[in-house]
Amino acid sequence: VADASTATATTTDASSARRSSSPPSSPPRFDKKEFITTASQYLDEAIGITTMSAPQAPLESMAEETAASLSPTSEEEKTEEEEEDQPSLSLSNNKKEQVQTPVAITHEAKSKPGHSTSSTSSNKNPKAPPLQKPSYYIDSFHEHFFPHPHDSVIDGSSSSSSSSPAKKRKKLSLPQRYAMSMAHRSWLHLTVAFTIAVILSFIGLRFGEFKISVDNAGWWSRGTDIANRATQEIVINTNRMKLFADVDGSEWEELQTVVQPNWQGRRGDEGDRSPEEIARAEDATRSAVCSGAWYGSGKMVSGREENLVSVWKTEDAEDDSPERSALSADGMYELCVAEENTRRALQDSDSCYTCPTEEGGGGGEECVTPYSLVLLARLHLTNNDISQLSTLSQTLPCDELRTRWTPGIQRHFTIALKICTNWAARLATATNPAEILSGTPITLQNTTITVSNPCSFPLQFMPTVVDDQFPHTVDPYGQPIVRYTSSYYATKKGDEIVEGMYDANQKEKAYDHGDGDPLAGVYDTTSEEFSGQYADSIVGRDMALAVGSAGVTIIAMVLHTKSPFLTIMGLCQILLSFPLAYFVYYFIFGLVFFPFLNFIGIFVVFALGADDVFVAVDKWKNARGELPHGTTAQVAALALPDAAYAMLLTSVTTAVAFFGTAICPVGPIVCFAVFCGLLITFDYMMNIFLVFPALCLYDKWLGAGRKNCFISFEWCCGKKTEEEDDDNDNGQETTHGSSAVS
């Protein structure tokens, strides 16, 4: 260390001697390269002699810093050097002291890492913070608000050079000017945007015929063969009376060429009928049921009648070699008991047609027996007597039916079923069924006879009581078996009746489904209304899942923003985008069909909406952290357009992906794609018009020193911000507008 000090003193004495011998008007220049080389050499030797640890900064870098500090940087320093008449080592006692010894430099760099090694800097401002690195917001702040090259926004002071021309302030863009306007009039922007959104949402939901129980018939528009055939069946069945009276073919031509409005939800002309006409139709149906004409008729199986139907299957119906049959005594008894229990439940809810009974006591009425294998079996055991049709269940109860159902009776009944099934199949495949019904001539051994309906049952036979493999599927003894069968109940029509039957079946379990041994059953209506009701209940459960996802999203926003106020505004942004998207969906795009698939968009908008809130809040906090003394309007002019552009990229790409899916020919997918694209679009717009003004208010409240837990959780937790910690260290109170910037 002593050698290094001596060498340094010798070097500085030589330099001082050269300066003193030169004329005063032209002082010698400091040789920076020579000093770096010499200082680095002696530093290496000095550190090699001592036992000190290696410095944190490279030796050459330290020498460069020392040389820079020794270099005259202004005219004032040059003048002071010219007036010096003491050796160079006397600099250690001067107020402009730059360096003592190489070892002292090493010790200073080690003891205060990250600070300048210049003693001058330490003497002028010992607590001066390190210079901030330039960033996007600081650079933009200089360009738009402090364009002079020597202006400083770090400590609020400014210094300029007369030789440097002043820069022109960069003009604010339109989004930046709008952001500043939003910051100046935050409440006005927030109130106007929220009011308009609520009004449009109310119009869309109130007058746009929006229903939570959506129409689930959208599969008819898929363009597949089965969908097209179902569409044709519905249209023809709906207009069958017009087609029956069509003489010149004009009605048929219209159905083929003109789109029929609201054809999915139409059920004949019931909507145009008066209450008197509906009552007369009900009386006619009741009369047909009680007389027996309803059994096996088109009204029994018509989807427009909404009759309750149950389908039964045996325990091993799906096996490759089934052995159980619904025609067995146990199967008949199980089916009979289930029908009696279901019939009583229908009568208790007044959902079925009732007919008077002779043994009911005082002329009472009961629901009629359903059309099933049990009804045909009772007719078979009573010699096909239909005079007491409404009292068959009392005449031949289930226990007696089981007792009388011997193997011989079962065999004769199976033969009758086989004959009737073959006859029904022949009618279904005949070119002219009317000719077969009038009688078919058959010639046997030169004798011609006319064969009419060979079915022995007094009621019109419907092959729905057996499965499609009957009589080809047989048991181990070679007897035909019935694996699947059905029961049709004469029930009333109406939405309330259908909803009541669905609740009785699904929720109350009032309808008997059997115990699976030997039969198990399920229920629906001929119009498959239970499927629609079940789908609507699924919508409710999915809505509960959506609410759960919303709860998780809210918790995430609260934890991230640490502000209930910003979380509520973000939630309003997400929720209002749904009715606003429906407003455009219904009134502008003209889409009246709202499929169940559209509800999946709720999950999409919650995810993307929360992401937009995070981006906006993070951009604002980053800008405020880099510009602690900027006003709210200045921060808004820089942070909000930056956030809007970042969110625009993600929103546009996602919305275009959904809108592009609208080229699909499937109707529900088209509706889903359009609705989700609108959801994303309005979520982005609501983020700008609601969350951005909310951020301006949030920043103003914090700048004014409001300590409210609704604004920020940090106040409740007693947590101080980084600015407050710095201010407490300096003994100052900081606000956003306390500096020269504001």
Side-chain angles (χ1 to χ4, degrees), residues 22 73 86 127 155 175-176 295 356 404 432 486 498 540 609 697-698:
S22 301
T73 57
Q86 293 184 1
K127 294 185 178 181
D155 57 358
Q176 289 175 326
Y295 292 98
R404 296 179 58 181
N432 189 1
S486 60
V498 172
L697 292 173
Y698 170 81

Side-chain angles (χ1 to χ4, degrees), residues 10-125:
T10 304
T11 304
T12 54
D13 289 342
S15 300
S16 177
R18 285 196 299 270
R19 285 200 300 270
S20 62
S21 63
S22 301
S25 58
S26 57
R29 297 184 59 84
F30 176 75
D31 192 347
K32 179 178 178 181
K33 183 176 181 181
E34 180 182 355
F35 175 81
I36 292 175
T37 303
T38 305
S40 299
Q41 178 181 355
Y42 282 104
L43 281 171
D44 293 339
E45 295 177 359
I47 294 175
I49 295 173
T50 62
T51 59
M52 295 175 60
S53 60
Q56 294 184 0
L59 299 179
E60 186 175 352
S61 176
M62 293 169 54
E64 289 181 358
E65 293 178 1
T66 307
S69 64
L70 289 175
S71 300
T73 57
S74 64
E75 296 295 333
E76 181 181 358
E77 292 179 356
K78 290 181 180 179
T79 303
E80 291 177 356
E81 289 180 359
E82 292 174 0
E83 294 176 355
E84 288 175 354
D85 50 350
Q86 293 184 1
S88 179
L89 279 176
S90 64
L91 288 174
S92 60
N93 299 322
N94 194 290
K95 113 177 144 170
K96 294 293 183 178
E97 179 184 5
Q98 301 297 329
V99 64
Q100 296 177 2
T101 62
V103 177
I105 295 173
T106 305
H107 178 71
E108 181 71 16
K110 182 178 180 180
S111 61
K112 292 185 179 181
H115 291 73
S116 174
T117 58
S118 173
S119 300
T120 303
S121 301
S122 301
N123 292 336
K124 285 184 178 181
N125 189 4

